[in-house]
């Protein structure tokens, strides 16, 4: 490879420098140095492509989480602490904050922002709910809020304790149970029959 | 011919996805530029001002009293609000005007913050909808762009980060 003359043609200002370095470098050493540099470049390129794409996918499209606690028995974690269910969390479905009554959703806990809780949506904005254990007997869900409850009443820290939650805290919609394999199923959006609403917002 | 066009399209889509993901990571974990509209933070932030928000304080739970934060609106999750943090969890907030005889106060519950705009007469904030959960906070404003950008940089930082003046009729007491 004739590096001296190529440098002289393309970069007239650096022609002198190129000519000097091109002549003195050993061919074998130049090849191994080039291999390391090429590997480093490829690694950086891959890293800066893969990490943002993976992070964006886990934040915006879907991720996986393990469920702990007994607040959603018998739908989730029926075995208690022996075997925790692993669920698929779908962020894409709630990107416009659209949820239906009966969906199982995960949200940021209003009492502890470091923790996420997973509950079932019982009522949307405008509905009137008959509460179980809340300080008011009947609560009208304000605009932009939802009422969530765990399926295991009495063992659940949910809207009966902290009231309606803002839709801005919504994190994801749990659609499938992935693990253990014998509990592989799609989670249905059904309201428990004993939690029928007192009054629904006019459709 | 077709293969060339197809190849170019795929490469364009690939670059778009890559830069979109980098932009998402930057806005979500580092910070970004926001335009504020509305009169509720005058005179600190005027209508249609451009401000710089950082999201690191939110992730490390470093939001303090006196910070101006951007949060999701509790009644409309698709819109954002820009207010000052007056009280953190456990603080005691006086929630009435000085003309009332009986002073009523409330405590900010755990995991919540109390927000107020600087323009008290023209601001819909926690005095109207109550304390908001910490999880709704998106980021903290640390710098404001404007005509005074070049000259008064340090004065703006001081104004944005000053603690709320306790001489106003909203007083607060820390609990612990």
């Amino acid at each position: 490879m004739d590096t001296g003359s190529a440098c002289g043609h393309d970069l007239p200002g650096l022609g002198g420098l190129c000519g000097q370095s091109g002549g003195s470098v050993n061919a074998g050493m130049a090849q191994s140095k080039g291999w390391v540099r090429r590997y480093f470049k490829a690694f950086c390129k891959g890293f800066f492509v893969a990490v943002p794409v993976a992070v964006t996918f886990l934040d915006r499209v879907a991720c996986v989480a393990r469920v702990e606690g007994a607040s959603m028995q018998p739908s989730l974690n029926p075995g208690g602490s022996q075997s925790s269910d692993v669920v698929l969390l779908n962020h894409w479905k709630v990107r416009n904050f659209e949820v239906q009554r009966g969906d199982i959703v995960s949200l940021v806990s209003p009492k502890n922002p470091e923790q996420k809780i997973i509950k079932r949506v019982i009522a949307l904005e405008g509905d009137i709910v008959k509460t179980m254990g809340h300080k008011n007997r009947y609560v009208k869900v304000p605009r932009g809020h939802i009422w969530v409850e765990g399926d295991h009443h009495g063992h659940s820290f949910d809207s009966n304790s902290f009231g309606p939650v803002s839709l801005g805290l919504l994190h994801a919609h749990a659609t499938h149970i992935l693990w253990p394999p014998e509990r592989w199923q799609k989670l249905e959006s059904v309201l428990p029959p004993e939690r029928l609403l007192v009054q629904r917002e006019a459709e | 011919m077709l293969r060339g066009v197809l190849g170019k399209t795929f490469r364009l889509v690939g670059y778009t996805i890559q830069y979109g993901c980098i932009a998402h990571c930057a806005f979500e974990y580092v910070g970004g530029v926001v335009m504020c509209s509305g009169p509720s933070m005058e005179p600190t932030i005027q209508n249609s001002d451009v401000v710089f928000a950082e999201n690191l304080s939110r992730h490390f739970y470093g939001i303090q009293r006196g910070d101006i934060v951007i949060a999701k609106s509790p009644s409309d999750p698709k819109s954002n609000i820009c207010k000052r943090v007056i009280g953190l969890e456990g603080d005691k907030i006086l929630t009435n005007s000085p003309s009332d005889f009986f002073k009523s106060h409330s405590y900010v519950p755990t995991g919540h913050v109390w927000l107020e705009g600087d323009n008290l007469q023209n601001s819909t904030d926690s005095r109207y909808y109550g304390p908001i959960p910490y999880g709704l906070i998106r980021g903290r404003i640390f710098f404001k762009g404007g005509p005074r950008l070049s000259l008064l940089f340090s004065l703006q930082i001081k104004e944005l980060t000053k603690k709320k003046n306790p001489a106003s009729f909203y007083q607060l007491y820390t609990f612990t």
Side-chain angles (χ1 to χ4, degrees), chain B residues 29-101:
Chain B
Y29 295 105
V30 180
V33 182
V34 181
M35 187 169 99
C36 293
S37 61
S40 63
M41 282 298 290
E42 284 173 0
T44 317
I45 299 179
Q46 313 286 337
N47 193 8
S48 328
D49 260 351
V50 166
V51 296
F52 294 83
E54 54 94 1
N55 296 338
L56 299 167
S57 309
R58 164 175 80 106
H59 285 294
F60 294 117
Y61 305 101
I63 303 278
Q64 291 163 355
R65 291 178 204 95
D67 286 344
I68 303 183
V69 294
I70 295 190
K72 282 195 212 159
S73 165
S75 49
D76 179 16
K78 295 186 188 174
S79 63
N80 297 323
I81 58 175
C82 171
K83 303 276 182 261
R84 193 184 289 267
V85 174
I86 300 295
L88 301 174
E89 62 185 16
D91 290 347
K92 183 174 168 181
I93 306 282
L94 280 178
T95 56
N96 61 299
S97 60
S99 58
D100 291 351
F101 184 70

Side-chain angles (χ1 to χ4, degrees), chain B residues 4 79 98 108 129 142 165 173-174:
Chain B
S79 63
V108 180
Y129 43 67
F142 64 96
N165 188 359
Y173 308 90
T174 325

Side-chain angles (χ1 to χ4, degrees), chain A residues 49 59-60 110 114 145 166 168, chain B residues 18 21 24 29 61 72 74 112:
Chain A
V49 167
D59 272 351
R60 293 275 183 167
E114 301 177 22
H145 287 65
S166 174
Chain B
Q18 179 185 346
C21 292
H24 163 85
Y29 295 105
Y61 305 101
K72 282 195 212 159
H112 288 64

Side-chain angles (χ1 to χ4, degrees), chain B residues 113-139:
Chain B
V113 294
W114 187 273
L115 301 181
E116 280 176 16
D118 283 352
N119 189 359
L120 290 171
Q121 280 84 24
N122 205 352
S123 163
T124 319
D125 47 33
S126 284
R127 293 171 297 161
Y128 173 70
Y129 43 67
I132 70 162
Y134 188 97
L136 288 180
I137 293 180
R138 307 293 306 283

Side-chain angles (χ1 to χ4, degrees), chain A residues 46-140:
Chain A
F47 183 80
F48 283 110
V49 167
V51 168
V53 170
V55 168
T56 307
F57 184 85
L58 292 176
D59 272 351
R60 293 275 183 167
V61 180
C63 63
V64 179
R66 179 181 290 269
V67 178
E68 279 171 23
S71 63
M72 284 297 288
Q73 284 177 352
S75 319
L76 297 175
N77 272 6
S81 49
Q82 276 105 20
S83 66
S84 299
D85 287 348
V86 173
V87 293
L88 177 71
L89 295 176
N90 191 342
H91 297 284
W92 191 252
K93 270 195 178 177
V94 296
R95 68 191 184 280
N96 288 325
F97 303 103
E98 288 164 355
V99 283
Q100 305 301 323
R101 297 177 190 88
D103 285 350
I104 299 184
V105 295
S106 75
L107 45 137
V108 178
S109 168
K111 289 295 181 184
N112 183 4
E114 301 177 22
Q115 200 183 38
K116 305 238 176 357
I117 57 177
I118 184 162
K119 300 281 179 264
R120 194 182 291 270
V121 175
I122 300 292
L124 304 176
E125 64 185 19
D127 297 343
I128 298 185
V129 186
K130 183 172 175 190
T131 68
M132 301 167 53
H134 193 63
K135 56 179 191 284
N136 300 331
R137 196 77 197 281
Y138 293 94
V139 168
K140 178 165 168 143

